[in-house]
Amino acid sequence: MKKTFFLIIGCIMASLSIISCENNITDLNNDPKHASVLPSGNLLATGQYQSFYYMYTGNVNFNNYRFFNQYWTETTYTDETNYDLVTRNQPRNHFNRMYVYSLNNFYQAMLNLPNEGITDTSVYNNKWATLEISSIFVWENIVDTFGDVPYSEALQSGQGQFAPKYDDAKGIYTSLLSRIDAAIAKINTSSAGYSEDLIYAGNMSKWKKLANSIKLRLAMNLADVDPATSKAAAESAIASGVLGSNSDSYSMIFSGGTFTNPVFDDLVASGRNDFVPAKGLVDFMNTNNDPRRAAWFTTVGGVYKGGIFGSLNPFGNYSHLSSTLLSSTAPANLLSYSEILFLEAEAAARGYNAGGTAATLYASAVTASMNENGIAAADTASYLAANPYNAANWKVSIGNQAWIALFNSPFAAWNFTRRLDSPALVNPPNSKTDGVPVRMPYSDQEYVLNGANVKAAANKIGGDKVTTKLFWDKF
């Protein structure tokens, strides 16, 4: 009351108009601590946190990428490692996290950005590019998880669009490549971006490298279905500048207080002992005397021992994840330097100009993974000597080593295992599906809320099954 009273007195004493007084009084309804229009930087940070957390999490209710790659297996409940994607509604949960909690934040930030009074064109363009690149990264995840998805009509509920059509996945790829080129063209590396940026703190040189790296990932997924586009896009991305060191990786570091690493939440904060590393992974690493075992796993009786995938595995009988991976402050790495080097090695193996030979880039990729995990140079050299690049069987050579190196970047690894068909993962005996998943089924909610469109999409791709291959997964 006092504030309103003195405001009225002030208006009278200043001989301001009645309208002016009314406007000022109306302003009292605005709560500066709870803004009705969120700043685009806040929306960026929220979208980043949501996308990182839910692409990286090992929670059985969400993406299940660690099970699709057969990295982890379960100890007490085996539904998820037998590919039951119905009981816990994982497709719905991941679909919603990516669209509603991630993309929608970036989309709203794009709408708010023009009204924030930014007068420096280069800063404005950098912020726009940051939001666009962040969006494209999530779009790639959605398309490469589900296949055909709502795209051109998505995020339009404010315009009355509640039943968006499903766009052709190949067409979405074409659009994403065009969008990422436009974003790269707007970046000014001499100017700042968002201070709220949780990944690169507004460093636009790193955002440019990330954009080119996403472009390279898209390009290599096209290699078997559209080799000409793949080659042109990959060579363009590499020439423009992709991630150049482990410090460039698209990685979120958690504070360990309010915000903790998702794997810490899954395996430590939950107070549950539900997961152990899977036997296939651990045996492969044992056979090759892989020095990363000590960085990732504990031992049982002096040996590294994995649980049988899809079966009951008493927690105390097997190796566990290391304290490093279980730290509340451990980074979540969604696009790593080692992934880029493996993509470049594959590009060279396919005859693209990748800036080096396949063998050299393969060795650099393995070395980057070893460095990322604190492995001594001598151990890295011994490993490479025992596991050299095999040009005659390059898909197996690159596929197997990328599968190991990207153990803690499970979505990225899933692209390699599907594209290169290596390693050959085996469907567990009690699986609920006809094969190891190569896509996630559509959200069950879509069949209720957007039935006609999702049914048309399911028919177009050959059936809404986990064994229906994506358009680029040809062999």
Side-chain angles (χ1 to χ4, degrees), residues 335-359:
L335 205 164
S336 65
Y337 177 48
S338 58
E339 177 189 349
I340 292 307
L341 289 165
F342 278 116
L343 289 171
E344 290 179 320
E346 180 183 341
R350 292 179 182 271
Y352 303 179
N353 182 359
T357 66

Side-chain angles (χ1 to χ4, degrees), residues 29 74 108 120 155 195 221 230-231 246 268 273 322 324-325 327 329 333 357 369 381 439 444 465 470 474:
N29 293 323
E74 294 170 289
Q108 189 59 51
D120 187 321
L155 309 173
S195 61
N221 279 346
S230 172
K231 184 175 187 292
N246 282 322
V268 179
N273 297 321
S322 70
T324 301
L325 296 184
S327 170
T329 59
N333 198 341
T357 66
S369 173
R439 66 176 288 273
D444 62 315
K465 299 174 292 186
L470 301 183
K474 302 300 289 184

Side-chain angles (χ1 to χ4, degrees), residues 126 186-192 202-209:
N126 282 346
K186 281 185 176 290
I187 292 174
N188 183 333
T189 57
S190 298
S191 293
N203 184 327
M204 297 312 298
S205 293
K206 290 185 182 292
W207 276 102
K208 184 176 181 180
K209 292 177 184 179

Side-chain angles (χ1 to χ4, degrees), residues 128-129 132 136 176-187:
W128 181 92
E132 179 74 339
I136 292 168
L176 295 179
L177 286 170
S178 176
R179 287 173 61 179
I180 210 153
D181 280 342
I184 291 168
K186 281 185 176 290
I187 292 174

Side-chain angles (χ1 to χ4, degrees), residues 43 57 129 177 297 458 467:
L43 291 164
T57 183
L177 286 170
F297 311 129
T467 52

